[in-house]
Amino acid sequence: MFSLPRRARRAIIVGFPLLLAVSLTSACTSMGGRVHSAADYRAHDVRTKQAGMDTVVRLRPAAQLAGTGPGATPEDAAHEEHSSSCVDDFGFDKDNVTRGEPSYSWTLRYATRADYLTALAHLRAGWKAEGLTVTDLPAGDGRPGRPGLPGIQTTDHGIELSLQQAWYTDDPTVYASGECMRYHAEQ
């Protein structure tokens, strides 16, 4: 059996946890990224919401925006989503620095499944024509008696866009999610 000298064992026992702590601290700090201004974050939020609204507008056939009346705009139907994936779990953000990840959704109503599938195909073709990589999303489980709907997603200038079936309602939904950003909170 192989045995290390007492000094070597002590160095490993004391040094390894210290090395691990320093490595994790460095990794977490560097993963946080650059700290932007509050104005930068607001602009990122506006770009994210606009990308989602542009996606809704380009759907053919057009969908009815759920929860809105006649003449409603994508701006009226936007729902701000909240995510816990962009938080500072380790407490490294200090000095009035916070994190945000803008995310919006639009719930759609189509008269028929065929209308939804046509809109999905049209959107896929449009994204591909712009040179974007389109990923197919599997059909959701659907509710009893209702088959699930397939979806697609892409990333355009750091904003993830998708048309897919919502998790809880099974409704066709457009999602727009911006990247997590560290920024100075306004006081």
Side-chain angles (χ1 to χ4, degrees), residues 8 36 41 55 91 130 151 169 186:
H36 299 267
Y41 180 76
T55 300
E130 292 174 16
T169 64
E186 293 181 331

Side-chain angles (χ1 to χ4, degrees), residues 8-186:
R9 282 184 290 177
R10 181 176 290 154
I12 291 171
I13 291 170
V14 172
F16 181 72
L18 182 60
L19 179 63
L20 184 62
V22 168
S23 296
L24 286 174
T25 301
S26 298
C28 290
T29 303
S30 66
M31 288 185 341
R34 178 177 152 233
V35 178
H36 299 267
S37 69
D40 290 340
Y41 180 76
R42 280 192 307 276
H44 179 51
D45 181 70
V46 167
R47 281 191 307 276
T48 300
K49 188 174 184 181
Q50 187 63 52
M53 291 188 301
D54 291 347
T55 300
V56 170
V57 167
R58 73 188 299 176
L59 295 172
R60 297 288 180 266
Q64 177 188 356
L65 297 168
T68 63
T73 66
E75 175 84 34
D76 301 330
H79 297 285
E80 190 169 3
E81 299 284 319
H82 298 283
S83 171
S84 61
S85 67
C86 181
V87 294
D88 178 18
D89 290 330
F90 297 103
F92 288 116
D93 291 336
K94 305 250 187 281
D95 300 326
N96 204 32
V97 173
T98 191
R99 296 174 187 223
E101 182 177 22
S103 187
Y104 294 90
S105 68
W106 291 261
T107 304
L108 310 172
R109 299 277 190 261
Y110 279 100
T112 66
R113 178 181 173 84
D115 285 347
Y116 170 79
L117 295 174
T118 300
L120 187 74
H122 182 264
L123 183 60
R124 176 186 285 114
W127 282 347
K128 284 186 174 186
E130 292 174 16
L132 300 174
T133 300
V134 179
T135 304
D136 289 324
L137 301 173
D141 292 337
R143 301 195 186 264
R146 292 178 55 197
L149 299 171
I152 57 173
Q153 74 179 21
T154 192
T155 301
D156 185 13
H157 294 92
I159 299 169
E160 186 176 285
L161 301 166
S162 67
L163 172 58
Q164 65 189 61
Q165 183 175 353
W167 281 90
Y168 299 109
T169 64
D170 293 340
D171 292 323
T173 305
V174 168
Y175 292 99
S177 298
E179 295 174 327
C180 181
M181 179 184 278
R182 295 173 71 218
Y183 65 97
H184 290 284
E186 293 181 331

